Amino acid sequence: AGCDGYTGQPDSDPVPMPPDAAEPSPPAAGFFAELPLLANERDTFEPDGWRPAPGDWALAVTDIVDSTGAIARGLHKTVNFVAAMGIAGLRNLCAPVRIPFLFGGDGAVVLVPPACIERARVELARARGQAARDFGLTLRAGLVPVDTLRRFGCDVLVGRFEPTPGNSFGVFLGGGVGVLEAAVRGHGDAELGRLAAIPESLDDGEPVDLEGLSCRWDTLHSTRGTMLTMIVRGRAGLREVYADILRLAGPDDQSRPVSLNTLRARWPPKGFMLEARARRRKGSLLAWTARVLAETLLARIVLARGKPIGGFDPERYRREIVTNTDFCRHDETLCFVIDCPLAAVEPIRKYMAEKALSGGIRYGIHLSDTALMTCLVTSPADSLHVHFVDGGGGGYTSASRSLKGVQP
């Protein structure tokens, strides 16, 4: 995934390993819901909010094969949508238990409770099959218990990033994410890859429950100059790097890629066919296309009027979208998208080049006029909705290529 990579070591910058990190935690269905809240991005660098994952929970990762080629073919929105399918499917499967998840542009990370592990394998197999059948993309997927990862010399520490009440994202340390991703791709431990493998036979052709997954908002256009997508990787100093980048880019509230000025709803939305294919559940594609078009037209009218209907307040919903966006952090990797003034781009490049020389930091940068947003909406009237953002033109995927030494 664009926001990934094998590290094998926990991030030593914000979190010294808890003294009991090597010991599996007892089973806890409410593990994630009971974690301390990290209310903003800076809180994710504080040590007190992280806990070892229970050993009987399982870590799942997905990754789209050749996402670079798919994006070059104009399928960036499809790549983001398929990457979010694993999150939506497993979140719906595990509901009402809250689970941590992380979006990486062309892949995802999800932690599932023990009662859902076997069904999660089936859902991931179905998602892999659906990605190929409906969207023409090859999705890799793997899942393994946290206890197993610990036997391979890494750990899974979890933080609960919750920008608004009830809307949680996961952030991960301990090396487990990177170790598992490498194994699933065939670049890491072969035995771990075998244990994490999801048999093709589990895909029975049934569709994944993707209720709530959509991409109805128009492309987000930069209002300050450019959408800057960055991936930073290093064992220490990520807190300082993030703070300095935001300082160079300007005020935090103006750097968000999603703002009231950038939110636009057009009809029909560009991604309506993605949603129709995902939601049809073996029904008629024509009928589901008509249904999605009708729903999006109604939503467009309600948003345009701006007046509350029942329990739904469209203006409140817009304000919540600005803050209910993901923040990608795991192991030694930090990923983010900001709306950046053009005048700040070169100072940021210079700063990162200096950090790379002196501080053991690796980084990748991608610039675009736009960003894309994929949404997972549980209940807009109850303010339960989260949103995944990727820089336009390949965003995380392109920044990852730069990070790996390939010119974008």
Side-chain angles (χ1 to χ4, degrees):
C3 181
D4 65 7
Y6 169 70
T7 62
Q9 298 290 333
D11 186 331
S12 58
D13 178 36
V15 182
M17 292 286 284
D20 59 347
E23 296 297 323
S25 300
F31 160 71
F32 187 56
E34 294 165 2
L35 290 181
L37 298 184
L38 308 174
N40 59 63
E41 291 87 345
R42 285 187 171 85
D43 287 346
T44 66
F45 297 97
E46 298 300 326
D48 295 338
W50 298 78
R51 300 289 186 273
D56 57 353
W57 283 51
L59 189 70
V61 298
T62 67
D63 170 61
I64 295 171
V65 177
D66 191 24
S67 56
T68 300
I71 290 168
R73 298 194 303 272
L75 299 177
H76 187 192
K77 204 170 186 69
T78 305
V79 166
N80 284 174
F81 190 86
V82 171
M85 280 172 52
I87 295 173
L90 294 183
R91 192 184 190 209
N92 288 335
L93 172 69
C94 297
V97 176
R98 291 188 184 181
I99 60 172
F101 52 83
L102 182 70
F103 174 77
D106 57 1
V109 180
V110 187
L111 194 67
V112 298
C116 299
I117 290 176
E118 292 311 311
R119 288 181 295 158
R121 292 185 192 278
V122 174
E123 284 297 275
L124 288 171
R126 290 170 173 171
R128 184 173 57 196
Q130 193 169 345
R133 289 188 295 269
D134 290 347
F135 305 106
L137 295 177
T138 301
L139 184 70
R140 280 185 286 238
L143 179 146
V144 74
V146 171
D147 267 347
T148 300
L149 284 169
R150 289 182 174 129
R151 293 203 303 269
F152 282 82
C154 55
D155 206 347
V156 180
L157 308 180
V158 185
R160 179 180 161 198
F161 171 48
E162 187 167 295
T164 59
N167 297 300
S168 303
F169 302 92
V171 282
F172 300 85
L173 295 181
V177 171
V179 168
L180 181 57
E181 285 177 330
V184 168
R185 288 198 186 106
H187 302 150
D189 191 290
E191 175 63 12
L192 179 58
R194 185 187 67 79
L195 293 172
I198 296 175
E200 297 281 349
S201 59
L202 291 180
D203 177 19
D204 55 8
E206 290 295 317
V208 181
D209 180 5
L210 299 176
E211 186 64 34
L213 184 62
S214 65
C215 41
R216 299 178 178 183
W217 292 96
D218 200 5
T219 301
L220 305 169
H221 290 267
S222 171
T223 61
R224 307 181 72 209
T226 187
M227 294 291 190
L228 185 148
T229 304
M230 180 172 288
I231 299 178
V232 187
R233 190 168 297 155
R235 294 189 179 182
L238 295 183
R239 178 207 310 254
E240 176 189 358
V241 168
Y242 183 67
D244 286 344
I245 294 299
L246 290 187
R247 175 180 55 80
L248 290 168
D252 289 11
D253 59 345
Q254 295 181 26
S255 296
R256 292 184 178 276
V258 184
S259 70
L260 294 177
N261 292 329
T262 59
L263 278 175
R264 297 285 185 274
R266 73 163 63 188
W267 192 88
K270 287 184 178 180
F272 75 90
M273 285 304 300
L274 294 175
E275 188 176 345
R277 289 192 183 98
R279 293 177 60 194
R280 63 174 168 165
R281 301 178 70 83
K282 291 190 173 180
S284 163
L285 181 58
L286 181 60
W288 270 102
T289 301
R291 177 171 173 172
V292 169
L293 286 173
E295 289 179 1
T296 55
L297 178 59
L298 177 60
R300 177 70 182 88
I301 293 170
V302 171
L303 288 168
R305 289 182 71 247
K307 298 185 182 300
I309 294 181
F312 176 66
D313 183 343
E315 293 307 311
R316 183 191 68 194
Y317 182 65
R318 285 177 181 270
R319 292 192 300 270
E320 290 168 347
I321 290 176
V322 173
T323 54
N324 290 6
T325 52
D326 59 318
F327 180 71
C328 182
R329 175 138 196 260
H330 72 79
D331 298 341
E332 298 170 2
T333 302
L334 172 67
C335 312
F336 54 91
V337 181
I338 58 174
D339 193 350
C340 181
L342 288 174
V345 172
E346 284 310 309
I348 288 173
R349 287 189 186 277
K350 181 178 179 182
Y351 169 82
M352 292 306 302
E354 292 172 353
K355 294 296 292 185
L357 287 174
S358 63
I361 293 287
R362 298 176 64 210
Y363 69 98
I365 294 176
H366 176 72
L367 302 177
S368 173
D369 294 335
T370 62
L372 301 181
M373 185 168 67
T374 305
C375 307
L376 185 53
V377 180
T378 303
S379 174
D382 296 322
S383 300
L384 297 177
H385 52 101
V386 295
H387 307 271
F388 310 121
V389 178
D390 191 9
Y396 285 137
T397 298
S398 297
S400 181
R401 290 176 60 230
S402 175
L403 176 80
K404 295 172 182 176
V406 180
Q407 293 299 316

